[in-house]
Amino acid sequence: MSEQPKRSALFENEKPAADRQGSAFMQAMQDSSFMESMKDAQPQKSRYDEMLEQLDTEEQQEMSSSAVKTASGNGSGDKKPSRREKAEKAKNGSEKRSFEPIEYEDTSEVSQRLKKARKRREHQLLVIGPVLFICVVLNIIAWNSSSFSLWYMQEVFPKISTLYARLTNRIPFSFGELLIQIGLWIVGISTPLFILLMIVKKKDRDFKRTVRRIYQYFYAWVLTFVLLTETLNCFILYHTPTFAKMYDYPGKWYTPSQLEQLCDYLIAETNAAAAEVKRDKDGRFILTADLDDTAKASMRKLAKEYPELGGWYTSPKPIKHSFFMSQQYLLGIYFPFTMEANYNDEIPKLNLPDTVCHELAHTKGFMREDEANFIGFLACDASESPDYRYSGYLRAMKYVIAQCEENCSEKTVARLYDSISDEVLIDWNVNIEHWQKVQKSDEGLFDSEKVAEVSDKVSDASMKLNGVEDGKKSYDRVTDLLLDWYFMQQEEETKGSENHETHAVEDKDLTEVK
């Protein structure tokens, strides 16, 4: 049997403080003096409540007296609310208003960034939208008004193109080629990157929205730049009156015999020029003339008869990746978005003088290929360089003899080929061998035949979209201009000889009279 331990004095002293306080409070409650002090400590009415009650009493007395007067006079009266009721009503109204929403401006950093981004997008749209609209309007007007296109070519285009071309002309290489390369790299990298980001961040809506906007506005700016430069430096100019109409060429139909006559003339001039140029030990043509100053001087010589061909000229530039141009059978190319005349640096050199003049004709607003071919021929014909004359006449002769093959007898065509000199045939065969070598080469990234096929379709479609109905076949229409030019020359020579004979007769008559 165990014994319970006795409570020690220490244990009694270890009672919680709350228990000791509770017992003291109960003893105080039993004390009457404490209760009296608690009564004295109860809150009394505030002075404000007493004043309200006094005022209410006075108002009730006044209302009762006025009600008696009103009843005796009018027989009716309205009870006015007391001051306490007014105070409670005002209090209730303020409580209701306290729950109304409060408008405030969000000044957080995120909010400010969003506002700035929204303003930037709005500013971009304020530029892109009107520019695209202006381009559409200008193209519509050009398609429906050749007089507007002619006015633009003569008055507006020279100012825009000269200023812009002077800037790009300071760059020693083809800036247009560089832009195309950058564009291809951007498209090749950004497209798979965009798809990858959309997959990896598919749950992050804000990130995806930001990336989409970056892509959209970047490509929108690129499209705007390309459309604007193409419209101002190319599209409008396709709808000017033809070269024949601008300069009163007859544009007549010619007989096969007249075509043969032109071909005979061109072969004779080509043979004569071929004998003047420098050649290597194998009898092949060697280019000695430059492709810059001589080309510009030759083009400016035409300004007296064709005013649009005068003024400042940009310097023709070689294309670094010329083999890709050879795969497309391109001798030269004009970039409207940089106002540059570019040429294929890998083709046989005999083609280059005529090619640079052809591309310079584009920089003066003559977009149609047959007209640029004809202007290139005129520039080479006017040049003092034998290289230029030989290049221009050989190219023209090829176009005309091809037309003779379609329109003249086999006997006539055989005779024409027999009249071509051996020196010309050597250079002609060099040209044929070059293009055959390109087509058989594995040097390019893509098959040459496929590249040539795609290039033909793209060029043909581009010309037709700009109103050239026969597409790439329009190159051959240079023969029509050559026929007009040749027979106009013949008429002038005939008139000149007749006038000379007339003056001689008049002088003779005067001599006899004397």
Side-chain angles (χ1 to χ4, degrees):
M1 182 175 176
S2 62
E3 295 180 355
Q4 295 182 357
K6 296 181 180 179
R7 294 180 181 270
S8 63
L10 179 62
F11 183 82
E12 291 294 335
N13 293 332
E14 288 178 353
K15 287 184 178 181
D19 292 345
R20 293 197 301 270
Q21 290 175 2
S23 59
F25 178 75
M26 292 302 295
Q27 291 176 2
M29 288 291 291
Q30 295 175 1
D31 190 354
S32 59
S33 61
F34 176 78
M35 294 300 294
E36 291 296 331
S37 65
M38 290 297 292
K39 289 180 181 179
D40 295 337
Q42 288 181 359
Q44 299 178 356
K45 285 185 178 181
S46 65
R47 181 66 177 165
Y48 176 73
D49 291 337
E50 291 178 357
M51 291 175 63
L52 286 178
E53 289 181 356
Q54 184 178 356
L55 290 172
D56 289 340
T57 303
E58 293 176 357
E59 283 187 358
Q60 291 295 333
Q61 291 176 356
E62 291 177 1
M63 288 174 61
S64 60
S65 61
S66 62
V68 173
K69 293 179 181 179
T70 304
S72 60
N74 299 328
S76 63
D78 296 328
K79 183 180 179 181
K80 295 182 179 180
S82 64
R83 290 181 179 273
R84 185 180 294 277
E85 291 175 347
K86 290 180 180 180
E88 291 179 355
K89 186 176 181 181
K91 183 179 178 180
N92 293 334
S94 63
E95 290 176 353
K96 290 180 180 180
R97 286 194 299 273
S98 64
F99 289 97
E100 294 179 358
I102 301 175
E103 295 183 359
Y104 67 95
E105 183 178 0
D106 188 359
T107 58
S108 64
E109 184 179 354
V110 175
S111 176
Q112 294 300 319
R113 286 204 305 267
L114 291 174
K115 287 182 179 179
K116 289 181 180 179
R118 191 180 301 111
K119 287 182 179 180
R120 285 197 299 269
R121 292 196 299 271
E122 291 174 354
H123 292 162
Q124 291 183 74
L125 291 175
L126 287 175
V127 176
I128 293 174
V131 170
L132 294 178
F133 176 75
I134 291 172
C135 290
V136 172
V137 171
L138 288 176
N139 278 281
I140 293 174
I141 296 174
W143 271 85
N144 292 277
S145 176
S146 60
S147 58
F148 165 78
S149 300
L150 179 61
W151 169 82
Y152 176 84
M153 176 188 181
Q154 295 174 337
E155 302 297 333
V156 181
F157 178 69
K159 299 178 178 62
I160 296 175
S161 61
T162 300
L163 177 62
Y164 189 32
R166 283 182 183 273
L167 296 175
T168 58
N169 192 56
R170 295 178 178 273
I171 302 173
F173 52 86
S174 176
F175 186 51
E177 182 185 14
L178 177 63
L179 289 182
I180 291 175
Q181 291 176 350
I182 293 174
L184 292 175
W185 276 105
I186 290 176
V187 172
I189 295 175
S190 64
T191 302
L193 179 62
F194 176 78
I195 297 173
L196 180 62
L197 291 174
M198 293 298 103
I199 295 174
V200 174
K201 297 288 187 177
K202 61 181 179 180
K203 295 183 179 180
D204 193 342
R205 295 183 177 179
D206 293 337
F207 178 82
K208 290 169 65 176
R209 186 185 302 110
T210 302
V211 172
R212 280 197 299 268
R213 284 174 177 169
I214 291 173
Y215 273 72
Q216 289 170 357
Y217 281 96
F218 173 78
Y219 283 106
W221 276 110
V222 172
L223 175 64
T224 302
F225 171 74
V226 172
L227 182 60
L228 178 63
T229 53
E230 290 283 345
T231 297
L232 298 180
N233 301 333
C234 183
F235 293 161
I236 297 176
L237 302 168
Y238 263 107
H239 304 286
T240 59
T242 63
F243 189 93
K245 289 183 178 178
M246 288 175 63
Y247 301 110
D248 297 325
Y249 275 39
K252 299 188 299 185
W253 288 94
Y254 294 92
T255 64
S257 61
Q258 289 174 315
L259 182 63
E260 180 184 354
Q261 186 179 348
L262 170 64
C263 194
D264 282 328
Y265 168 78
L266 294 175
I267 291 174
E269 292 293 325
T270 305
N271 291 340
E276 298 178 7
V277 299
K278 189 175 181 180
R279 298 184 175 275
D280 62 13
K281 61 181 182 179
D282 296 324
R284 299 179 178 182
F285 169 83
I286 297 177
L287 180 66
T288 58
D290 67 277
L291 298 175
D292 189 1
D293 293 336
T294 303
K296 296 175 184 177
S298 301
M299 294 291 291
R300 290 194 189 98
K301 283 187 176 182
L302 304 177
K304 184 176 181 180
E305 190 172 355
Y306 312 102
E308 287 73 19
L309 295 174
W312 182 86
Y313 277 90
T314 185
S315 296
K317 299 177 182 179
I319 293 293
K320 183 178 180 180
H321 297 86
S322 290
F323 183 78
F324 186 65
M325 291 185 67
S326 295
Q327 288 182 302
Q328 304 173 69
Y329 289 97
L330 290 178
L331 303 179
I333 188 169
Y334 160 69
F335 290 139
F337 47 89
T338 58
M339 284 300 300
E340 291 176 308
N342 302 268
Y343 59 88
N344 183 342
D345 200 29
E346 292 188 358
I347 59 177
K349 302 308 178 184
L350 179 54
N351 294 318
L352 291 177
D354 177 77
T355 297
V356 294
C357 293
H358 173 110
E359 301 306 328
L360 288 175
H362 285 318
T363 66
K364 289 300 178 180
F366 294 92
M367 292 296 116
R368 299 181 186 92
E369 296 298 335
D370 57 319
E371 296 176 357
N373 275 337
F374 181 62
I375 293 171
F377 165 77
L378 292 178
C380 290
D381 178 57
S383 178
E384 297 177 358
S385 168
D387 293 354
Y388 275 73
R389 284 184 55 81
Y390 184 33
S391 178
Y393 271 99
L394 179 58
R395 177 72 56 79
M397 183 195 74
K398 289 180 180 180
Y399 277 113
V400 174
I401 204 169
Q403 290 295 317
C404 289
E405 290 177 351
E406 295 182 6
N407 298 280
C408 299
S409 65
E410 293 182 2
K411 183 179 179 181
T412 299
V413 174
R415 184 191 66 78
L416 291 172
Y417 274 109
D418 289 339
S419 63
I420 300 174
S421 70
D422 293 338
E423 294 171 322
V424 175
L425 291 175
I426 290 174
D427 295 324
W428 196 335
N429 290 329
V430 168
N431 192 64
I432 294 173
E433 291 171 2
H434 168 77
W435 297 113
Q436 289 177 345
K437 183 179 178 181
V438 169
Q439 293 304 307
K440 295 177 181 179
S441 175
D442 298 329
E443 180 181 341
L445 296 175
F446 306 101
D447 181 69
S448 296
E449 292 183 2
K450 293 294 182 182
V451 172
E453 182 181 353
V454 173
S455 176
D456 282 345
K457 291 181 179 179
V458 172
S459 298
D460 189 68
S462 175
M463 292 181 187
K464 289 179 178 178
L465 286 174
N466 282 289
V468 182
E469 296 179 357
D470 51 353
K472 287 201 69 175
K473 292 181 179 179
S474 63
Y475 280 91
D476 298 334
R477 279 195 271 116
V478 65
T479 304
D480 298 334
L481 291 169
L482 287 168
L483 283 164
D484 281 340
W485 171 81
Y486 174 71
F487 285 104
M488 287 172 64
Q489 297 288 107
Q490 295 296 311
E491 289 178 4
E492 289 180 2
E493 290 179 2
T494 302
K495 289 180 181 178
S497 62
E498 289 177 353
N499 292 335
H500 177 72
E501 291 176 359
T502 302
H503 289 303
V505 170
E506 290 176 353
D507 292 341
K508 183 179 180 181
D509 292 342
L510 290 173
T511 303
E512 290 177 350
V513 170
K514 289 180 181 178

